[in-house]
């Protein structure tokens, strides 16, 4: 299948083309504002499906709205008619097409034009009135508040919110791309005469900013977002894509003493925390027990022994651990336990606890194994 994508270098275009290539579509005609116009005739002659994503969002003059959103659509359709090509066409419109402003009027004019074309030629047309789309590669300080907020918060730049209670309808770029590829395969989500992305997130402007600020602060608190919430997961992925290239990494507080170090890595409100423990050769750590807190130990480098003793019993249980054989050891409640480095090099252990450490209620009691 030969696919023509107009607006190929735009936000939606880049994401769509990258996923089409992932799915091994190889004949993709990429057309954008800097493409030689003579190529359009060839593309319109050979295309089996068209994603018409080209458009104007922030022109210098208002007349450019109509030229970019209506004029080029007219050119595209005329070129298809000249080449007697009635392949299906998807067109990117906007929810603002229902509004009486220059941008909305230009989008509505493009919709009317393509519906008339469908009636005249019998071509299958798919008109998507997209709400606000967010995700990676969206240009900040252009026409996306989410992109601007992500960029500015990640880069320590000021943001401006006129009305925190303003409600936004958001669709995520991967959901958009999935829907468009479904449309390519004849499985579009049709709602009356229009098509739509089925997953829409309805959120307040202030809530978006609050979440983004928490993402930034998570490097200090070590608290990761609630990934069970699909919208939060998608917004966090979007935020990370705007990090400055020299700030992908961030330091952790290493608690260091003669025995080695202990470093908290990740905390969650409901899934506990992950820490990294480094023990020097011959060092014993632990010798304590818990009422309710439970842990999992995974030695990833070095070798050692984990010892257990039920607090009301004399029998000692031993587990040999090594980075050469990755094996998780559960730390049950009511057992005092320790971990001993029996090797000649540092032993590194990944430790998970079912709750984040609370200094006011540590649930940790010293007792020699």
């Amino acid at each position: 299948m030969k696919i023509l994508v107009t607006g190929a270098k735009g936000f939606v275009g880049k994401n769509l083309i990258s996923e089409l290539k992932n799915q091994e579509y190889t004949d993709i005609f990429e057309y954008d504002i800097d493409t030689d116009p003579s190529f359009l005739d060839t593309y319109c002659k050979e295309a089996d499906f068209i994603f018409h994503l080209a458009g104007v969002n922030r022109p210098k003059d208002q007349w450019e709205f109509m030229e970019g959103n209506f004029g080029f659509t007219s050119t595209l359709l005329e070129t298809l008619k000249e080449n007697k090509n009635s392949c299906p066409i998807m067109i990117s419109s906007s929810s603002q097409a229902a509004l009486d402003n220059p941008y909305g009027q230009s989008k509505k004019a493009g919709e009317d034009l393509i519906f008339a074309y469908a009636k005249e030629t019998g071509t299958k047309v798919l008109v998507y009135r997209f709400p606000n789309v967010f995700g990676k590669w969206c240009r900040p300080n252009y026409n996306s508040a989410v992109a601007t907020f992500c960029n500015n918060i990640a880069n320590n730049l000021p943001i401006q919110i006129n009305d925190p209670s303003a409600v936004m309808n958001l669709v995520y770029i991967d959901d958009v791309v999935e829907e468009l590829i479904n449309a390519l395969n004849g499985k579009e989500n049709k709602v009356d005469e229009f098509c739509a992305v089925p997953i829409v997130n309805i959120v307040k402007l202030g809530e978006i900013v609050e979440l983004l600020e928490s993402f930034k602060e998570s490097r200090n608190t070590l608290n990761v977002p609630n990934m069970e919430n699909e919208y939060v997961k998608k917004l966090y992925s979007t935020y990370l894509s705007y990090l400055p290239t020299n700030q992908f990494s961030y330091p952790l507080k290493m608690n260091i003493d003669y025995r080695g170090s202990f470093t908290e890595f990740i905390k969650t409100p409901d899934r506990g925390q992950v820490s990294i423990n480094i023990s020097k050769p011959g060092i014993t750590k632990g010798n304590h027990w818990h009422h309710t807190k439970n842990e999992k130990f995974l030695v990833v480098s070095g070798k050692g022994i984990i010892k257990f003793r039920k607090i009301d019993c004399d029998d000692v249980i031993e587990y040999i651990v090594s980075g050469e054989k990755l094996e998780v050891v559960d730390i049950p409640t009511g057992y005092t336990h320790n971990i001993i480095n029996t090797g000649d090099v540092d032993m590194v252990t990944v430790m998970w606890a079912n709750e984040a450490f609370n200094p006011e209620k540590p649930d940790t009691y010293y007792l020699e194994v």
Side-chain angles (χ1 to χ4, degrees):
M1 179 177 283
K2 295 180 179 179
I3 303 167
L4 168 59
V5 180
T6 72
K9 294 181 180 179
F11 168 42
V12 178
K14 284 197 295 184
N15 278 275
L16 173 62
I17 290 169
S18 66
E19 183 56 25
L20 286 170
K21 291 178 178 178
N22 286 342
Q23 297 192 21
E24 299 184 351
Y25 289 93
T26 55
D27 291 327
I28 304 173
F29 303 139
E30 301 181 27
Y31 192 92
D32 210 278
I33 194 168
D34 59 352
T35 306
D36 186 335
S38 65
F39 288 175
L40 187 63
D41 185 70
T42 301
Y43 294 165
C44 286
K45 183 183 300 181
E46 299 184 14
D48 299 308
F49 192 99
I50 297 173
F51 290 107
H52 181 32
L53 305 174
V56 174
N57 295 307
R58 284 287 185 91
K60 293 180 180 179
D61 298 300
Q62 290 192 356
W63 60 264
E64 293 180 65
F65 277 129
M66 196 61 72
E67 180 178 307
N69 295 326
F70 173 81
F72 180 67
T73 300
S74 179
T75 300
L76 175 67
L77 298 181
E78 286 300 322
T79 308
L80 286 168
K81 283 197 281 188
E82 289 171 4
N83 285 284
K84 296 181 174 55
N85 186 347
S86 58
C87 70
I89 307 173
M90 169 271 161
I91 183 171
S92 170
S93 187
S94 166
S95 55
Q96 291 201 42
L99 303 179
D100 187 20
N101 59 48
Y103 176 64
Q105 290 168 357
S106 67
K107 284 295 189 181
K108 181 64 166 61
E111 291 177 357
D112 293 342
L113 185 65
I114 202 163
F115 280 132
Y117 171 81
K119 189 173 182 180
E120 176 188 348
T121 63
T123 298
K124 180 180 180 180
V125 299
L126 306 170
V127 180
Y128 283 82
R129 281 188 169 180
F130 291 130
N132 298 279
V133 186
F134 73 103
K136 67 183 183 301
W137 305 337
C138 187
R139 179 177 165 187
N141 303 304
Y142 188 54
N143 70 328
S144 168
V146 174
T148 301
F149 291 156
C150 285
N151 177 74
N152 288 18
I153 290 172
N155 288 275
N156 297 313
L157 298 172
I159 61 172
Q160 180 178 345
I161 310 174
N162 296 323
D163 182 7
S165 64
V167 174
M168 296 187 70
N169 293 334
L170 301 176
V171 290
Y172 183 54
I173 187 60
D174 286 7
D175 295 327
V176 172
V177 168
E178 182 178 356
E179 169 60 24
L180 294 186
I181 293 178
N182 283 342
L184 175 66
N185 293 312
K187 299 176 182 178
E188 64 275 3
N189 179 45
K190 201 79 179 287
V191 182
D192 297 325
E193 62 180 335
F194 297 101
C195 298
V197 179
I199 302 173
V200 180
N201 306 278
I202 303 172
V203 294
K204 293 180 180 178
L205 207 57
E207 292 172 349
I208 297 172
V209 173
E210 187 177 331
L211 260 178
L212 293 175
E213 294 283 10
S214 75
F215 297 161
K216 182 177 182 179
E217 183 60 20
S218 68
R219 288 186 164 195
N220 298 318
T221 64
L222 305 182
N223 290 316
V224 297
N226 178 13
M227 299 300 176
E228 191 174 16
N229 183 311
E230 284 291 322
Y231 160 67
V232 173
K233 180 171 69 174
K234 294 166 183 176
L235 187 63
Y236 184 62
S237 296
T238 302
Y239 169 76
L240 290 180
S241 72
Y242 290 87
L243 287 174
T245 55
N246 64 347
Q247 293 183 31
F248 288 176
S249 67
Y250 57 100
L252 296 174
K253 180 187 176 184
M254 297 180 66
N255 301 290
I256 302 173
D257 60 22
Y258 71 94
R259 302 173 301 164
S261 65
F262 181 81
T263 306
E264 294 178 320
F265 173 29
I266 287 174
K267 296 181 180 180
T268 70
D270 62 332
R271 306 296 169 94
Q273 76 173 50
V274 178
S275 305
I276 307 300
N277 183 75
I278 299 177
S279 299
K280 296 292 184 182
I283 290 296
T284 299
K285 288 190 177 184
N287 283 322
H288 59 235
W289 65 281
H290 315 289
H291 279 300
T292 301
K293 179 186 294 185
N294 55 85
E295 301 164 296
K296 293 179 184 290
F297 289 0
L298 173 62
V299 171
V300 295
S301 180
K303 61 181 181 179
I305 298 175
I306 299 176
K307 294 185 177 182
F308 299 88
R309 180 174 64 82
K310 201 171 185 179
I311 65 169
D312 59 353
C313 180
D314 294 330
D315 295 336
V316 175
I317 303 163
E318 296 185 354
Y319 279 82
I320 307 298
V321 289
S322 168
E324 295 181 0
K325 182 186 178 184
L326 296 187
E327 193 169 55
V328 176
V329 179
D330 272 316
I331 313 297
T333 55
Y335 281 84
T336 187
H337 53 276
N338 62 28
I339 182 167
I340 307 167
N341 184 347
T342 59
D344 300 323
V345 298
D346 288 356
M347 179 175 63
V348 181
T349 308
V350 178
M351 295 181 171
W352 172 84
N354 69 319
E355 58 186 34
F357 178 70
N358 180 358
E360 296 180 359
K361 191 178 179 182
D363 188 12
T364 301
Y365 305 93
Y366 178 80
L367 183 64
E368 290 275 356
V369 174

